[in-house]
Amino acid sequence: MALAEAGARGRLLRWPRVLLFGDSITEYSFQENGWGAYLAERLVRKCDVVNRGISGYNTRWAKLILPRLITENTGADSIAAVTIFFGANDSALKELNPKQHVPLEEYAANLKSMVQYLKSVDITADKIILITPPPLQESAWEKACLAKGDKLNRCNATTGQYAQVCVQVARECGTDVLDLWSLMQKNQDFSSYLSDGLHLSTKGNSFLAAQLWSRLENKLSALPSLLPYWRDVDHTNPEASLL
């Protein structure tokens, strides 16, 4: 059978998508032992896990580009889940990092705006998960800042305020939320979760992956595997199994 004929007979295969939208902690999530890579492995042949992490971005910039990532005309109906993971940059101290800083009230409004946009293109609240920024280990991050000739430009207490707002927005919008800031600090020494005081270590990636999977599993585990297991293909008539 010619390929063109096979394509005409078979239905277009469309993988559902899990969209990871966030800053550098999302961008780096496909690195070795990353939390995004973990999700992709768990969902192989069920979903495409799409990394749309953009290092250094805050919610002020993110809300402008979200409509360029998802529209009704680009398969919003195929979205199985979306994570929105911002706050580590928004919570930078204004006087030391004005370019990335976003005031707390605006951060809340931006998160709401993004959730409302997703709902407007028929992505329901049960498919949306907000993730708070992780806690900041100040001494380690200060070393990273000093190495670049900068002063310590974030503090954990301020990051916690943004995390609390993220939780509140999720409650108001009816979405799920992963309060990473609080969960990581249940263990008093949370420094092992972070590689440089801000970004996740291997242990931190594993922690986030496990916490996120516990929220996604019920939503996604029932999705069927796409295409049959190879032993189930009729080798004498593969068209019957594959088209």
Side-chain angles (χ1 to χ4, degrees), residues 4 6 25 30 35 71 86 88 98 117 126 195 197 230:
I25 303 175
F30 270 40
W35 61 273
T71 70
F86 290 94
Y117 173 76
D126 63 300
S195 62
W230 72 271

Side-chain angles (χ1 to χ4, degrees), residues 194-216:
L194 305 167
S195 62
D196 58 3
L198 175 67
H199 300 95
L200 301 180
S201 64
T202 296
K203 183 177 178 181
N205 273 281
S206 296
F207 182 85
L208 172 52
Q211 293 290 333
L212 187 54
W213 181 246
S214 72
R215 289 159 172 77
L216 286 173

Side-chain angles (χ1 to χ4, degrees), residues 88-146:
N89 297 317
D90 299 69
S91 60
L93 301 176
K94 181 179 180 180
E95 60 275 15
L96 294 171
N97 191 350
K99 186 168 185 176
Q100 291 179 300
H101 169 80
V102 171
L104 197 59
E105 289 184 4
E106 183 187 344
Y107 171 71
N110 292 341
L111 288 178
K112 288 179 184 177
S113 176
M114 287 189 276
V115 172
Q116 289 164 357
Y117 173 76
L118 292 174
K119 290 180 178 179
S120 77
V121 294
D122 296 326
I123 297 173
T124 52
D126 63 300
K127 295 182 177 181
I128 303 168
I129 301 177
L130 301 186
I131 306 176
T132 77
L136 182 82
Q137 214 288 318
E138 292 176 14
S139 59
W141 184 241
E142 185 173 26
K143 289 180 182 178
C145 291
L146 291 173

Side-chain angles (χ1 to χ4, degrees), residues 1-13 239 242-243:
M1 180 185 295
L3 289 178
E5 184 183 349
R9 283 186 55 189
R11 292 172 294 128
L12 178 66
L13 278 171
E239 292 88 349
L242 303 177
L243 296 180

Side-chain angles (χ1 to χ4, degrees), residues 35-224:
W35 61 273
Y38 173 90
L39 292 179
E41 182 180 6
R42 293 299 293 264
L43 293 168
V44 68
R45 289 184 55 190
K46 290 190 173 188
C47 290
D48 282 337
V49 179
V50 182
N51 187 336
R52 291 295 179 265
I54 308 157
S55 179
Y57 274 50
N58 56 32
T59 56
R60 181 181 294 162
W61 304 341
K63 74 172 185 178
L64 298 177
I65 60 174
L66 182 59
R68 301 180 64 193
L69 301 178
I70 302 176
T71 70
E72 285 182 307
N73 296 327
T74 56
D77 60 326
S78 71
I79 295 289
V82 180
T83 60
I84 300 177
F85 189 5
F86 290 94
N89 297 317
D90 299 69
S91 60
L93 301 176
K94 181 179 180 180
E95 60 275 15
L96 294 171
N97 191 350
K99 186 168 185 176
Q100 291 179 300
H101 169 80
V102 171
L104 197 59
E105 289 184 4
E106 183 187 344
Y107 171 71
N110 292 341
L111 288 178
K112 288 179 184 177
S113 176
M114 287 189 276
V115 172
Q116 289 164 357
Y117 173 76
L118 292 174
K119 290 180 178 179
S120 77
V121 294
D122 296 326
I123 297 173
T124 52
D126 63 300
K127 295 182 177 181
I128 303 168
I129 301 177
L130 301 186
I131 306 176
T132 77
L136 182 82
Q137 214 288 318
E138 292 176 14
S139 59
W141 184 241
E142 185 173 26
K143 289 180 182 178
C145 291
L146 291 173
K148 298 175 183 178
D150 299 325
K151 296 179 180 179
L152 177 64
N153 55 23
R154 290 164 170 79
C155 73
N156 192 40
T158 300
T159 302
Q161 294 175 349
Y162 283 72
Q164 290 172 7
V165 163
C166 181
V167 171
Q168 181 61 33
V169 168
R171 186 177 298 119
E172 293 173 3
C173 293
T175 72
D176 203 348
V177 64
L178 174 51
D179 185 0
L180 201 58
W181 190 86
S182 296
L183 287 169
M184 283 188 167
Q185 290 184 96
K186 284 187 176 180
N187 176 356
Q188 288 186 340
D189 181 16
F190 61 88
S191 60
S192 61
Y193 291 129
L194 305 167
S195 62
D196 58 3
L198 175 67
H199 300 95
L200 301 180
S201 64
T202 296
K203 183 177 178 181
N205 273 281
S206 296
F207 182 85
L208 172 52
Q211 293 290 333
L212 187 54
W213 181 246
S214 72
R215 289 159 172 77
L216 286 173
E217 186 173 13
N218 289 338
K219 304 176 193 293
L220 303 178
S221 61
L223 290 172

